[in-house]
Amino acid sequence: MPKKLEICYLFDRRCEFIMKTKKDVLLVDDDHVTAAVIQHILAKEGFLVRCARDGKEALDAIRSRTPDIILTDLVMPKIGGEELIRIVRQMPDMDDVIIVVVTGTILEKDQAACSLPADAIIPKLPPESMHNRILKVFREIKESGRITTRLQAETVPSLPEGRIVKELLALREYQDAVFEKLSEGLVLLDIDFKIIKVNDMAAYLLHKNRADLMGHFFSECFADEDRKQVGDLLTGLFSKKDPEYEKKTVIHKNRTLDLKLTSLVDPITRKAVAGIVLIENITERKDLEKRLRASEKQYRDIVNTVPDIIYHLDAEGRFLFVNFAVKELGYTCEELLGQSFLSIVHPDDAQKAKLVTGEKRIRTRKTRGIELRLLPKETKDGRIYNVRNVPVLITARGLYDVKDHDIQNPLKRYIGTQGLAEDITDRKKMEMMLIKAKKDWERTFDAITDMVFLLDKERRIVRVNKATIERLCMSRQQIIGRQCREIMDPKSHPVERCPIAKTVRDNLPHTQEIEDTNLGGFFICSSSPILDEQGNILGYTNSLKDITERKRLESQFQEAQKMEAVGTLAGGIAHDFNNVLMGIQGYASLMLMQMDPVNPHFPKLKKIEAQVGQASELTRQLLGFARGGKYVIGSIDINELVAESAEMFGETKKEITVHARMSEDTLTIEGDRTQIEQVLLNLYVNAWQAMPGGGDLSVETNPVVIEQSEAKIHEFEPGRYARISVSDKGVGMDQKTQARIFEPFFTTKEMGRGTGLGLASVYGIVKNHNGVIEVESEPGKGSSFHIYFPTSEKALEKDKEGKKKIMRGTETILLIDDEEIILDVASELLATLGYTVIKAKSGKEAVDSYRRKSGEIDLVILDMIMPKMGGGKTYDLLKGINPEIKCILSSGYSIDKDAKEIMARGITTFMQKPFDIAVLSQKITDALAGSKKK
Ligand SMILES: Nc1ncnc2c1ncn2[C@@H]1O[C@H](COP(=O)(O)OP(=O)(O)OP(=O)(O)O)[C@@H](O)[C@H]1O
Ligand SMILES: [Mg+2]
């Protein structure tokens, strides 16, 4: 039966004790005296007693052999009794161990004592009562093997209440509370590095029960590699006289722990007596740090991948930060730090750059759009890293060490500027390209010689080219904003014909030829719509091509073609006519020569001859107009010829006054004197006829130089010309008359007064002399005719034509002509002059005769135009027979290209039909003499 034990306190827990022969008691007390007394009492009672001076020694003893009973004090150094009990209670296989507490602190700690997992608590004082109580408890254990009696609180005897003890205990309690409540783990180590105190946080962080920690080597808590290091650190620390701190970070059970180790040194012996380890869980901090570092890296990477330069300047404009973008300029970020921002700015932009470095605006108020050129780094060898200066667009914002809303506060402190420099090289290039493209376009637009208008959708002019401004003689301002029809002549440019109006209606291009009387010309007006990509109308273009000159040239060309056709006709008629006249003239001449002047038919024959003269004058006019050349080519002094003819004309027409003004320069031309005289005479006569009541006739000569630029307009070849101007103050001509005056047979004169051949022949002769004729006239005011002949550098030839004298001869002449009448009359004329005539009716006959009688024949008179074998061919064959042949070429045509070609082969003399006996004798004399000269 279990006995009731008289012990201070009653415990909830029921304990059973199995009796053994000799119970093993572990006595734990730091008080040697108390320990010795109790050991003595218990040994006498038959207990086996082991002693430990504190909890730490007790734990060692328990681990070496499990005791039956633990008798422990509460207040002890290193591991105290309370701690020891709790550890023992947590240890496996220790449930049966009877724990008896002997304490002097029971009164003050009664509450806490009640919660102690001990089987009995015995107050320490006074000693005799304590000894009795111990004996009671141990005897009960010896008898029943356990403590069966529940102790009543009232049975606890009163104890003396020591004030110091109370305070000490309070302090101890407070310290323990602090020790336990620390957010860091705290571990106290004994001199042999074993754990003697540990708080909950330390046990938690070390991932162990207190029981597993207490009395164990601290370094054993860690993995191998850390274990050694921690041990070494502690050894190092404990060997020092002055306490020092060591720090070590270990990874323990997935946690990062910061260990702060130090030693407690005895102030007298200067020896380490204990160690303290503060364990801080820095896993989260480390994680945070890691995350921070990662996020910082992320931002740094982003900042550094931005192609724009991101900068942070201090208050003096020096770089505090700059991203990798500066590499493009050849710099490294590091070398720019501390450098002034201005050091990388083009000197010409320094002023603008100062706006950036001193930028003090904040938040959304920032500088934007400053364009600068940044200098690339100059390498050591003086070479520019990057040839170009980099144009950048700057954004800058001021930084302050006060909050934004304090910005008005004068105490605010500006600490720098942050911003961005965007590389705008491409944009600049694009801008330059755009500007160039615009300029190119404008230049092209202005280079167009046609007038070009660009119109908006409302057909208002928005742009015109240079040609338009010049042609309209208006300023750009006067044109822009108006409509085409306000500028162009509305009469000659009616809206219904206007191509623009059509384009507006159907959105298609249109072209129309128009005449504009305002501008005085003809134009091809083309309009087209300007469309965007979707085909919407943006506006219109209207261009006007000036075709006035082309029109003039076209009509001139038509006129020239007409003249040529008529000329050919006139030439043909004149030729046939001349042959007829030749017959009449020849026979009349023969009859007159053989007739006595007193014969009553003599004057009639003379009249026939005179009529033939007039008729041949007509054919002469016709031939002058006809296409072809000149009769006789020679150098003519224009001043002399004009002055002479004008004077002569003035003498014959007394009712008009001739004013002749000759150029001081000598004007020599190449041409046919007689034809030029004919030209002048025709003009004088017309002028005289235009002034029926008499008046002034002005004749002038001038040297004129036609430049290349003028030549085209006036159908001139560029060069020097002699200009002859014949002006009157007569009736003048209207435009319609002027347009037709050069047509053969065009006359405004009454029947019989004019044939209308005068100006036609003037025109023909001038053209044949490579000249140009111009006319100016106004009805009622008078007319001026200007004739231009190209001047010649050749020396003047004296007039070879002597007085017309009939010369006779006895030579034999071969006369060749296909016209029977010409053969007859000419052979008779030749016979009259004393010559022997051999007639040939064709080229073939002539060649035959010549072959037979070439030795007799002195001269050949050869008609140019013959059927089958013409003059040219005949001459060649004759010349083949006798290379020394003498020949006169005769023709009803004037001397033209064909005639010239034949003559170039050796003929010296040309004779125009019809010829009279005087001309015939002169030409024969010339030909025979010319050949003689040879
Ligand atoms: N000086 C002038 N003043 C006014 N009209 C002129 C003048 N010269 C020529 N004309 C006009 O030109 C027309 C043609 O002149 P052109 O000399 O060819 O023939 P014409 O004088 O009428 O006849 P023709 O000269 O054959 O006797 C004239 O009929 C006249 O109407
Ligand atoms: Mg006339």
Side-chain angles (χ1 to χ4, degrees), residues 651-881:
E651 277 170 13
T652 51
K653 309 285 183 235
K654 294 292 178 201
E655 63 273 31
I656 60 163
T657 317
V658 177
H659 305 276
R661 205 163 58 87
M662 298 303 110
S663 146
E664 285 180 7
D665 301 335
T666 309
L667 298 171
T668 310
I669 70 157
E670 285 284 299
D672 185 319
R673 192 182 177 86
T674 325
Q675 283 192 341
I676 307 292
E677 278 173 346
Q678 192 186 329
V679 165
L680 291 170
L681 196 66
N682 278 332
L683 295 178
Y684 298 157
V685 170
N686 282 348
W688 166 65
Q689 287 173 337
M691 299 184 290
D696 296 315
L697 169 70
S698 305
V699 186
E700 245 183 68
T701 60
N702 281 300
V704 174
V705 178
I706 301 292
E707 302 288 351
Q708 183 80 43
S709 52
E710 303 163 274
K712 216 173 156 190
I713 314 166
H714 300 283
E715 50 178 317
F716 278 97
E717 284 294 313
R720 294 173 180 280
Y721 286 83
R723 184 174 71 179
I724 306 165
S725 304
V726 178
S727 311
D728 64 64
K729 298 223 166 71
V731 292
M733 291 168 274
D734 57 18
Q735 286 289 332
K736 244 170 106 184
T737 309
Q738 276 184 51
R740 299 191 61 193
I741 51 173
F742 297 116
E743 280 180 26
F745 307 111
F746 172 78
T747 179
T748 58
K749 288 161 196 168
E750 62 205 56
M751 272 288 262
R753 189 128 192 261
T755 57
L757 280 174
L759 286 180
S761 84
V762 166
Y763 180 88
I765 292 166
V766 171
K767 285 279 148 203
N768 286 339
H769 282 79
N770 300 323
V772 174
I773 181 162
E774 286 176 351
V775 61
E776 291 173 76
S777 185
E778 228 180 286
K781 291 209 172 151
S783 314
S784 287
F785 286 85
H786 305 286
I787 295 165
Y788 300 79
F789 289 116
T791 51
S792 152
E793 300 299 318
K794 275 195 189 166
L796 282 170
E797 285 172 21
K798 283 287 146 213
D799 189 2
K800 284 191 282 178
E801 272 187 35
K803 263 198 151 184
K804 283 185 181 177
K805 212 172 89 188
I806 297 172
M807 286 156 289
R808 291 167 188 274
T810 53
E811 286 88 348
T812 302
I813 294 172
L814 174 62
L815 180 65
I816 313 162
D817 204 305
D818 61 316
E819 294 269 346
E820 196 89 42
I821 185 94
I822 304 282
L823 270 185
D824 289 349
V825 74
S827 60
E828 278 202 43
L829 285 170
L830 289 169
T832 310
L833 289 171
Y835 297 107
T836 307
V837 182
I838 301 167
K839 290 197 273 183
K841 252 190 91 180
S842 69
K844 189 179 172 294
E845 212 181 297
V847 174
D848 288 347
S849 298
Y850 198 67
R851 191 167 286 131
R852 278 184 276 113
K853 301 172 184 173
S854 70
E856 302 165 31
I857 298 167
D858 300 293
L859 182 71
V860 177
I861 296 175
L862 173 64
D863 185 25
M864 203 178 87
I865 312 286
M866 288 186 294
K868 292 181 187 164
M869 192 189 289
K873 179 88 202 275
T874 309
Y875 176 73
D876 293 341
L877 291 172
L878 297 179
K879 199 171 173 159
I881 297 163

Side-chain angles (χ1 to χ4, degrees), residues 340-619:
S340 165
F341 175 70
L342 296 179
S343 68
I344 65 162
V345 173
H346 192 284
D348 294 351
D349 296 341
Q351 223 35 48
K352 278 199 273 176
K354 280 180 187 155
L355 295 174
V356 177
T357 52
E359 180 52 50
K360 294 184 176 173
R361 287 180 292 178
I362 53 159
R363 274 185 294 172
T364 49
R365 295 186 63 235
K366 58 190 167 194
T367 291
R368 241 210 175 105
I370 294 181
E371 283 186 17
L372 295 175
R373 282 161 297 166
L374 296 185
L375 289 177
K377 184 181 175 182
E378 203 170 315
T379 51
K380 275 185 197 133
D381 56 3
R383 190 170 53 85
I384 299 294
Y385 168 77
N386 193 335
V387 276
R388 69 193 172 92
N389 294 322
V390 180
V392 291
L393 189 75
I394 296 279
T395 307
R397 184 162 54 183
L399 297 172
Y400 292 83
D401 64 351
V402 287
K403 291 214 174 84
D404 287 356
H405 61 259
D406 288 341
I407 192 69
Q408 298 309 326
N409 180 350
L411 293 173
K412 71 191 186 305
R413 195 165 69 92
Y414 164 69
I415 52 167
T417 305
Q418 267 183 350
L420 210 93
E422 182 192 348
D423 185 339
I424 52 167
T425 311
D426 291 345
R427 206 185 76 190
K428 282 270 150 190
K429 252 190 223 160
M430 198 67 92
E431 272 175 25
M432 296 302 289
M433 271 160 69
L434 273 175
I435 291 168
K436 189 178 171 295
K438 186 168 172 273
K439 278 199 178 144
D440 283 353
W441 182 85
E442 280 170 354
R443 272 190 217 114
T444 313
F445 190 56
D446 278 340
I448 299 171
T449 48
D450 298 346
M451 291 192 272
V452 184
F453 300 85
L454 297 188
L455 317 175
D456 65 11
K457 279 204 278 194
E458 279 69 46
R459 292 158 70 177
R460 280 188 301 265
I461 300 165
V462 288
R463 195 172 197 122
V464 285
N465 65 343
K466 215 165 126 208
T468 309
I469 291 168
E470 285 171 3
R471 189 72 167 81
L472 292 175
C473 296
M474 290 166 87
S475 71
R476 213 175 275 274
Q477 288 74 17
Q478 286 173 310
I479 304 170
I480 303 297
R482 297 171 74 184
Q483 296 215 340
C484 284
R485 63 186 146 88
E486 295 175 53
I487 291 168
M488 305 302 288
D489 177 18
K491 274 186 263 115
S492 54
H493 196 189
V495 176
E496 66 274 10
R497 283 179 61 211
C498 171
I500 266 289
K502 290 184 196 162
T503 298
V504 170
R505 276 199 295 275
D506 61 12
N507 285 351
L508 294 171
H510 289 284
T511 300
Q512 176 76 46
E513 193 178 304
I514 58 162
E515 186 188 357
D516 191 292
T517 45
N518 269 4
L519 294 173
F522 293 89
F523 300 88
I524 291 178
C525 180
S526 306
S527 64
S528 50
I530 308 171
L531 307 171
D532 66 11
E533 288 79 9
Q534 282 78 41
N536 303 314
I537 291 281
L538 297 174
Y540 305 94
T541 64
N542 193 15
S543 68
L544 289 143
K545 186 173 197 63
D546 191 341
I547 52 159
T548 316
E549 183 57 22
R550 197 176 83 193
K551 280 239 161 203
R552 195 181 68 79
L553 288 173
E554 262 171 28
S555 75
Q556 227 171 47
F557 179 67
Q558 280 167 3
E559 193 65 17
Q561 274 194 323
K562 191 170 80 187
M563 289 302 214
E564 200 175 311
V566 179
T568 312
L569 178 76
I573 294 169
H575 170 262
D576 292 354
F577 220 73
N578 277 344
N579 278 341
V580 176
L581 287 176
M582 183 69 231
I584 304 169
Q585 169 76 62
Y587 284 114
S589 290
L590 282 170
M591 285 170 83
L592 280 169
M593 278 193 76
Q594 291 156 9
M595 194 178 276
D596 193 336
V598 292
N599 190 314
H601 292 303
F602 192 86
K604 289 172 194 150
L605 273 175
K606 267 285 179 203
K607 278 218 171 96
I608 291 173
E609 206 180 29
Q611 282 298 305
V612 170
Q614 269 194 24
S616 73
E617 184 57 33
L618 258 176
T619 58

Side-chain angles (χ1 to χ4, degrees), residues 306-324:
V306 171
D308 302 336
I309 297 173
I310 298 173
Y311 63 87
H312 180 173
L313 308 177
D314 66 12
E316 273 72 49
R318 292 177 298 234
F319 283 106
L320 287 177
F321 169 81
V322 66
N323 68 340
F324 280 177

